[in-house]
Amino acid sequence: MTTLGIAFRPQNPPERLREIARVADQSGLEELWIWEDCFAEGGVATTATALAWTERVRIGVGVFPVPLRNIALAAMEIAALERMFPGRAIWGVGHGVQEWMGQAGARVDSPVTLLGEYIDGLRALLSGERVSVRGRYIQLDEVALDWPPAAAPRLLSAATGPRTLRLVGEKADGVVLTASTSVEKARHAIELVGTSRAAAGHADKPYVVVNLATATGPDAAERLDTDLRAMGATDTADLGVAGDAQAVADAIARLVEAGADSVTLQPTADEPDLEGFVRFVAEKVRPLVP
């Protein structure tokens, strides 16, 4: 079964999260994704409150930019939430948007090296290991969590370029692809991650989350095009979907055929009725998606 979710974008003020999380939880959607974009809303605060306000919907973090987060502190935060809300969060990390990392004074010379070291160290800490490592960026001296989670959670990572995709296949449990990824690019990225994962000796396939820019209702096509261009897309012809529930379901099916396990529907930044969008996905689109 294809997992469906929606994204709570950081263009929405934090105080709106409670109602959106409540609607997503009651509507039957499987996932609600939160973005830690600079310099909008912190991922730990939003994830913790969304988990506390809901009963069943899974909360995804897409993603923590690792240059901003000390690895020991990230492990402590994730472990605490995993113990309080076992299995209800989906954890994603990434090397961050380099311009933003520069603004925050956190830019590194080799973001891919940092990401690889970070995933290895974070996995070990969340598995309850005592970790000592002196990498290029990650340095830990006999660090172990007092309260590790009962089971180490799956770690996903965002990726776009081929080098990062290969690293994610090797190190992470799955990949998060942005809404700027066409179906064909998604297919290629998923194949690249899968090949790298197999070469690294992992028997299971990577878990794949794809964001799908989505608009429905009046002026949907125009709003979608404007939104994609605001995110940096220059050619929007093969990106996103604008239309009714069937059009959205068909777009989801194309991503699933390309290898997606979970599709996160991403409303436009100016979505006029976010609660209505959640209900549209749950009540109109979900029945059309196997």
Side-chain angles (χ1 to χ4, degrees), residues 32 68 73 81 109 112 153 185 194 223:
L32 170 65
L68 291 180
L73 183 58
L81 289 175
D109 292 334
V112 175
K185 287 184 178 179
R223 287 193 294 110

Side-chain angles (χ1 to χ4, degrees), residues 246-264:
Q246 188 61 60
V248 176
D250 290 344
I252 293 168
R254 290 190 288 272
L255 289 172
V256 172
E257 192 278 328
D261 298 293
S262 175
V263 178
T264 301

